[in-house]
Amino acid sequence: MSNFGSSRAAGAPEIHGETRDTRTTGAATSAAPGKAAQADFMREPIPRKVYLVAVLAGLSGLLYGFDSGAISGALPLLEGQFGLTASQTGLITSLLLYGALPSIVVSTIAARRFDRRQILLVGGVIFILGSLFCAIVSGPVGLMAARFFLGFGIGIANMFGLIYLSELAPTRVRGLLTGLYQLAVNVGILAAYAVGDIFHSTPDGWRWMLGLGVIPAVIFFVGMVIAPPSPRWLMMRGRSRDALNVLRTMRGGEEFAAKEIQEIEEVLDRPTKGLGGVLSDARKPLTILAILTFFQVWTGINAVVYYAPIIFKDVEGLGNNPGAVANYGVGTALVISTAIALPLIDKMGRVKMLAVSMAGQAVAMVVLTFFAESGWIAVAAVFVYTFSFGFGLGPVFWLYVPEILPLQTRAIGTGIITFTQYLLNATFALVFPMLLAGMGPWIFMVFAVLSVAGTAYTILRVPETKGRSLEEIEEEIFGEVKSVTDKQTAGSNS
């Protein structure tokens, strides 16, 4: 599943077309002789700095959540001011996601040369400028352009925020810390809903809803300036001493840092392949992730995140502002469920939480199909649905992406999955208003059926990764791939 197969000169492994200098490796891996082998990652004490860096990096998720959720409160005002059609509504919503697509491609290429943290800094600048752009445009066309530009930052944040967190997090709390990204996304969505409620009756209130994202964007940029680089990226560039220095500050002792350096080095010592070889060796994890990302999108989460006010605008019994009631239900459910899920990810395991999550979604969507206009019953169904998503399919999926992709192909593999997700997201956001108009509440039954299918697939096909280092996960999956490849080769030679 990693980049294997090409020849290389002794002492100079080739990484992404670059020569990796191994002369410093001996000094790094021998920093704690006799101790590295005894390091037990599941008993490692966690320095406070780890949590600080995780919060700073998690702000990339908050930005994604805020800019995604802000359109929900802005759409009714935009429709009232500009008389938007269903297709225009879909475009304004989906262009944020379409804008992420080119940035994913460019940043994946840039990851060969630049650290994850440096790329996140570029994303922070885009968030700042894009938020200001959204606040000052004069009409729908300008807003579409601003949302498309802001999408560049979304693509960077969602891809490299996750990679950065997973590569910097200690094994014992990797699920918790990487899950903070999804919690930050959901906090951002809830914050956007609150801002929308505050400004829903203000003239040009949509400008405030979309423009206030500049505040967390500035905080995120400053946070990335002071955060350390990824130790795994440093190792890929031959900077073993620098990587060890980072791990000394981010791990519970010298023996843990040295052990991790050794494991990373063992992975990097494997020869590399080109893109075709990457896709071939990483076929198993990429297939699993592609199928899971389909279920994450097409079981309906964006229907409630983006369009809750539109879905519930004519429902009786929800007061004068039914959209706000629906939004607060969605946002609160996402935050509470993800907060509950974080400490459980490394205890229950990824597979069980994914299965429970999608099973809960299925039940809620069946109820919503038959009670879509029943006031508080519909709101309760949406609350249960979003709670179920936030408990598993939201945080666990994005933790799982960098976990099962190999180090040498983690950036390009995450890029492929993130690109796929945003393409599916953008398509969903574009067509959902038309699907809702054409199918009515029966569209929710489609989401229920897909949730059941996703539950079955997870139980049958998705491997568990809790309690193992990234290198151990890679070794297991690579071992399976190598075994299959050896059998195929033997068969063809017989």
Side-chain angles (χ1 to χ4, degrees):
M1 85 179 248
S2 191
N3 294 345
F4 310 105
S6 65
S7 62
R8 52 186 175 88
E14 186 179 305
I15 305 299
H16 292 309
E18 301 285 339
T19 299
R20 185 167 59 86
D21 183 3
T22 59
R23 289 174 297 176
T24 60
T25 303
T29 56
S30 63
K35 295 182 180 180
Q38 284 76 41
D40 184 351
F41 290 135
M42 298 313 294
R43 290 187 174 89
E44 178 182 0
I46 309 300
R48 292 181 181 178
K49 183 177 179 180
V50 170
Y51 296 105
L52 173 62
V53 173
V55 170
L56 293 175
L59 286 173
S60 62
L62 187 143
L63 289 165
Y64 171 34
F66 186 91
D67 289 318
S68 298
I71 198 64
S72 179
L75 280 176
L77 299 181
L78 290 167
E79 288 180 342
Q81 184 171 343
F82 299 111
L84 302 179
T85 64
S87 60
Q88 288 176 318
T89 298
L91 271 174
I92 289 175
T93 304
S94 63
L95 278 171
L96 180 77
L97 304 170
Y98 281 119
L101 300 180
S103 76
I104 291 169
V105 175
V106 173
S107 59
T108 298
I109 296 171
R112 298 182 177 186
R113 184 175 181 84
F114 298 101
D115 177 27
R116 288 70 158 113
R117 183 184 66 93
Q118 294 170 321
I119 296 173
L120 286 171
L121 283 169
V122 174
V125 172
I126 294 173
F127 276 118
I128 293 170
L129 297 178
S131 298
L132 294 175
F133 191 9
C134 286
I136 64 175
V137 295
S138 59
V141 174
L143 184 57
M144 290 178 190
R147 295 272 292 174
F148 185 79
F149 175 76
L150 194 57
F152 297 168
I154 293 290
I156 291 173
N158 201 31
M159 179 176 168
F160 286 95
L162 286 162
I163 294 177
Y164 181 73
L165 278 169
S166 68
E167 292 186 347
L168 218 60
T171 297
R172 184 165 71 84
V173 292
R174 190 177 64 245
L176 171 66
L177 297 188
T178 308
L180 278 175
Y181 178 88
Q182 188 63 40
L183 178 62
V185 171
N186 296 336
V187 169
I189 291 172
L190 181 59
Y193 290 162
V195 170
D197 187 34
I198 292 171
F199 291 102
H200 81 277
S201 59
T202 303
D204 279 345
W206 59 269
R207 298 185 186 276
W208 289 97
M209 297 178 193
L210 302 178
L212 283 177
V214 69
I215 296 175
V218 170
I219 298 173
F220 169 69
F221 180 84
V222 174
M224 285 297 95
V225 169
I226 64 176
S230 163
R232 286 170 171 81
W233 182 86
L234 291 171
M235 288 288 289
M236 291 172 66
R237 305 297 294 178
R239 297 167 57 185
S240 302
R241 292 184 185 278
D242 293 336
L244 181 60
N245 288 335
V246 171
L247 288 175
R248 280 171 172 157
T249 66
M250 302 293 291
R251 295 297 180 263
E254 186 80 10
E255 67 274 22
F256 297 103
K259 173 66 172 175
E260 195 161 333
I261 288 289
Q262 287 181 354
E263 289 192 351
I264 297 170
E265 182 62 30
E266 289 170 4
V267 169
L268 289 177
D269 275 343
R270 296 168 183 163
T272 61
K273 287 184 177 180
L275 178 59
V278 170
L279 294 177
S280 175
D281 284 347
R283 184 174 6 182
K284 177 181 178 180
L286 285 174
T287 299
I288 292 171
L289 293 174
I291 293 173
L292 286 178
T293 198
F294 171 80
F295 286 127
Q296 194 193 46
V297 174
W298 281 92
T299 52
I301 185 59
N302 289 332
V304 296
V305 170
Y306 296 147
Y307 297 112
I310 293 176
I311 295 172
F312 290 101
K313 66 180 180 180
D314 297 323
V315 175
E316 297 180 357
L318 300 182
N320 296 327
N321 191 5
V325 173
N327 272 346
Y328 277 123
V330 169
T332 302
L334 286 172
V335 171
I336 293 175
S337 60
T338 306
I340 292 173
L342 291 186
L344 297 177
I345 290 176
D346 291 312
K347 296 178 181 178
M348 286 183 63
R350 285 58 161 155
V351 172
K352 185 180 293 186
M353 292 184 71
L354 285 171
V356 169
S357 173
M358 284 186 275
Q361 289 181 185
V363 173
M365 280 297 171
V366 169
V367 173
L368 189 60
T369 301
F370 296 104
F371 297 96
E373 298 182 2
S374 299
W376 289 105
I377 296 178
V379 172
V382 169
F383 183 92
V384 171
Y385 169 83
T386 49
F387 187 96
S388 299
F389 177 89
F391 179 78
L393 194 52
V396 175
F397 170 77
W398 284 115
L399 159 66
Y400 202 63
V401 171
E403 275 194 335
I404 69 170
L405 288 168
L407 174 57
Q408 294 185 10
T409 61
R410 190 165 293 145
I412 190 170
T414 305
I416 291 170
I417 295 303
T418 308
F419 187 95
T420 302
Q421 161 123 153
Y422 276 97
L423 185 60
L424 292 172
N425 267 333
T427 303
F428 183 96
L430 181 64
V431 303
F432 178 75
M434 293 172 275
L435 291 175
L436 182 63
M439 297 179 64
W442 285 104
I443 186 61
F444 303 123
M445 184 60 74
V446 174
F447 300 151
V449 171
L450 289 175
S451 294
V452 171
T455 303
Y457 177 79
T458 297
I459 294 172
L460 296 174
R461 303 296 297 174
V462 175
E464 183 56 68
T465 59
K466 74 170 183 176
R468 287 180 283 178
S469 71
L470 297 178
E471 286 66 40
E472 288 173 337
I473 297 168
E474 177 170 347
E475 183 65 34
E476 177 177 327
I477 298 180
F478 169 70
E480 293 179 8
V481 172
K482 187 176 186 300
S483 176
V484 171
T485 302
D486 289 345
K487 290 180 181 178
Q488 292 173 342
T489 302
S492 63
N493 292 334
S494 61

